[in-house]
Amino acid sequence: MTTLSSAHKYACSVLVNEPLAQDIWRMRFSCPELAQSMRPGQFFNLAVPGDPSNILRLPFSWSVSDPREGWVEFAYLLVGEGTRRMTTMIPGTASDLVGPAGNGWYIPQNTQHALVVGGGSGVVPLVALVHELTQHGVSCDFVEGAATQNRVIYEDAITHYGAHFYLSTDDGSRGVHGFSTQISQDLLASSAAYDVVYTCGPSPMMRAIAAQAHEARIPCQVSMEKLMACGFGACTTCLVDTKNGRKTCCTDGPVFDGEEVLW
Amino acid sequence: MVNDVSMSVDFAGIRLKNPLNTASGTFGSAQQFENFYDVSLLGAVTLKGASAVPWEGNPQPRMAEVFGGMLNSVGLTNPGVRGLVAESGAYLAGLASKGTAVICQVAGHSVEEYKEALVLFEELAPWASAFELNISCPNIAKGGAAMGSTPEGAFEVVNACRPLTKRPLIVKMGPVRVQEIARSCVDAGANALSLINTISAMSIDINTHKSRVARPTAGFSGPAIHPIAVRMAWEVCNAVDVPVCGIGGITCGADAAEFLLVGCKAVSIGTENFVDPAAAVRILEELKDWARSQGVSDINELIGAFEC
Ligand SMILES: Cc1cc2nc3c(=O)[nH]c(=O)nc-3n(C[C@H](O)[C@H](O)[C@H](O)COP(=O)(O)OP(=O)(O)OC[C@H]3O[C@@H](n4cnc5c(N)ncnc54)[C@H](O)[C@@H]3O)c2cc1C
Ligand SMILES: Cc1cc2nc3c(=O)[nH]c(=O)nc-3n(C[C@H](O)[C@H](O)[C@H](O)COP(=O)(O)O)c2cc1C
Ligand code: FES
């Protein structure tokens, strides 16, 4: 069944755009309509000006927002032409976006203790989630997996919200040497008290976390990244294979039940 | 407003409020665009191709961005005619009642499957103004472009479907042998033609040595194909007497105007719907501005006004 997107088209204007970590930038932009309507885990499709030969919008999650002041912030990893061109969007640059898109995270009733695992730029939508969870009195263990110590993002915000912060780096430059999945495995083994697991990051990581949660009989939500041409349900380029058939990542997701995804 | 221009056109016996239509597969079932503007402002909408039974389509990745456009290998994923009607029938009936022509696109892997899908549409979609036969999808192994790339194949599909409906039949053509295929579609009873579908193309990841989409080839759309599409539409307008809907790379009123000048009675917005979800109404306004700038009071005065 087609899920209709809640996305509208809104003007936005860059307030801050600066390096946050190695190859990762932080952008904060003004867009009151989005700041007031977007829930954690939802995303928006940003028009990146400057190159008419590169036409499609890029989808991004958000980390922090201020509905009263009307701004939204996110971090982006420089991976290709579009994200590199975004670094030239100086404060004052006007653009537009299509959002809020997708379903966002779901907080089950009576959740008291959550395990949250983010890898790379997948940390972004989890920052907004942890803020929401801690505001609802949910205690959070947050595991961040980064390639190296210079790529750790949002540690301050996450600890400021009151989550316990655990870190792994692929190269061992800080925290546990290895993957976030080792820490999550230990946490799941040492405490059976989690009501829910949330994860966003590279597909193999999410797959492993979903398997760990399954083993521990804890519900797990995963946020999938698919290549998207439209981001609001019009093109069917972004399908995710699930046990319940193919679903549309940009409208039925990006958050899916970890049990449901066929990896 | 000075000198308001009449935008209404006749398209195969259907009175369109204006020449603006949407390209199949880029406009979902039209509902997806209501958040961006009142879809009933458009002359017509063409829906994603639907088959008699649901199709899963191709594996991921199903798209890649390329210079001046994109490649897609969606492969006609659709919930089947019944699924489409169940999900969107009520909305589409409402849209039709506001005077926007709803064009249902018919897909199949074989002549029999086209017929089955059309029979279902004929029965379940009383609100449809016309049916469009997609004989040009480059992303499926059987049917689509595999059948519509020769005049004989195109004739066979159209001829078999013609007796099954009294409503206008449009044929969606690909970018191959356009004059010959256009003539054979009309000989078989097509009431209108629309072109072009995407151009079969490739993009390769030079590090993995693999295609950037899950199949070796995919369909190329977007602004880069516009001049090719205009040339092909012009050739078809010269070859046949039925109305033609111009499609390919339209991003603004000027791009649409070129199709009208070479003789197209309507134009469809495709990939630009993704870039600017409000594109079709913007382009409608830009076309009106252009018509005013040309000093005409009726858009029909500009259709076919190309001089050569
Ligand atoms: C719902 C959603 C939320 C996202 N949130 C964030 C975020 O908060 N921060 C962030 O840094 N990135 C996020 N992404 C990924 C981001 O959209 C891509 O990195 C970006 O579009 C790449 O654009 P580019 O032109 O720089 O790269 P390209 O030149 O297009 O591609 C470079 C590389 O990145 C990969 N890539 C491109 N687009 C995507 C995509 N949509 N998903 C996954 N990989 C992709 C390509 O396969 C290629 O390997 C999100 C993606 C989705 C679908
Ligand atoms: C994602 C996508 C899906 C498409 N699906 C269909 C389809 O189902 N049937 C069809 O006839 N054409 C389909 N097309 C082709 C378009 O209708 C159109 O002919 C083509 O994209 C050229 O126009 P454009 O350059 O304005 O996009 C699709 C195009 C895209 C980009
Ligand atoms: S990206 Fe177009 S339907 Fe999801």
Side-chain angles (χ1 to χ4, degrees), chain A residues 43 45 226-239 248-251, chain B residues 63 274:
Chain A
F43 66 98
N45 303 286
K226 291 286 167 193
L227 294 178
M228 293 181 175
C230 75
F232 57 91
C235 72
T236 75
T237 56
C238 67
L239 300 196
T248 308
C249 189
C250 69
T251 53
Chain B
M63 64 149 290
F274 308 153

Side-chain angles (χ1 to χ4, degrees), chain A residues 43 54 58-62 74-84 121 124-125 223-228 249 254, chain B residues 65 212:
Chain A
F43 66 98
N54 197 228
L58 305 189
F60 293 101
S61 312
W62 65 283
F74 68 107
Y76 58 101
L77 186 62
L78 308 187
V79 294
E81 260 181 69
T83 45
R84 281 197 199 96
S121 62
V124 173
S223 182
M224 307 293 290
E225 271 190 13
K226 291 286 167 193
L227 294 178
M228 293 181 175
C249 189
Chain B
E65 187 160 5
R212 288 174 63 208

Side-chain angles (χ1 to χ4, degrees), chain A residues 58-72:
Chain A
L58 305 189
F60 293 101
S61 312
W62 65 283
S63 51
V64 191
S65 77
D66 188 326
R68 269 182 306 123
E69 291 183 12
W71 55 258
V72 174

Side-chain angles (χ1 to χ4, degrees), chain A residues 32-115:
Chain A
E33 299 91 338
L34 196 73
Q36 280 147 24
S37 60
M38 191 152 63
R39 285 177 287 107
Q42 289 190 299
F43 66 98
F44 55 90
N45 303 286
L46 181 70
V48 181
D51 181 358
S53 73
N54 197 228
I55 58 172
L56 297 176
R57 289 169 186 271
L58 305 189
F60 293 101
S61 312
W62 65 283
S63 51
V64 191
S65 77
D66 188 326
R68 269 182 306 123
E69 291 183 12
W71 55 258
V72 174
E73 175 180 315
F74 68 107
Y76 58 101
L77 186 62
L78 308 187
V79 294
E81 260 181 69
T83 45
R84 281 197 199 96
R85 204 163 69 247
M86 279 165 64
T87 62
T88 66
M89 295 172 72
I90 56 170
T93 304
S95 187
D96 56 57
L97 54 80
V98 173
N103 56 356
W105 305 107
Y106 169 67
I107 305 180
Q109 288 256 307
N110 304 322
T111 301
Q112 289 175 352
H113 200 184
L115 176 62

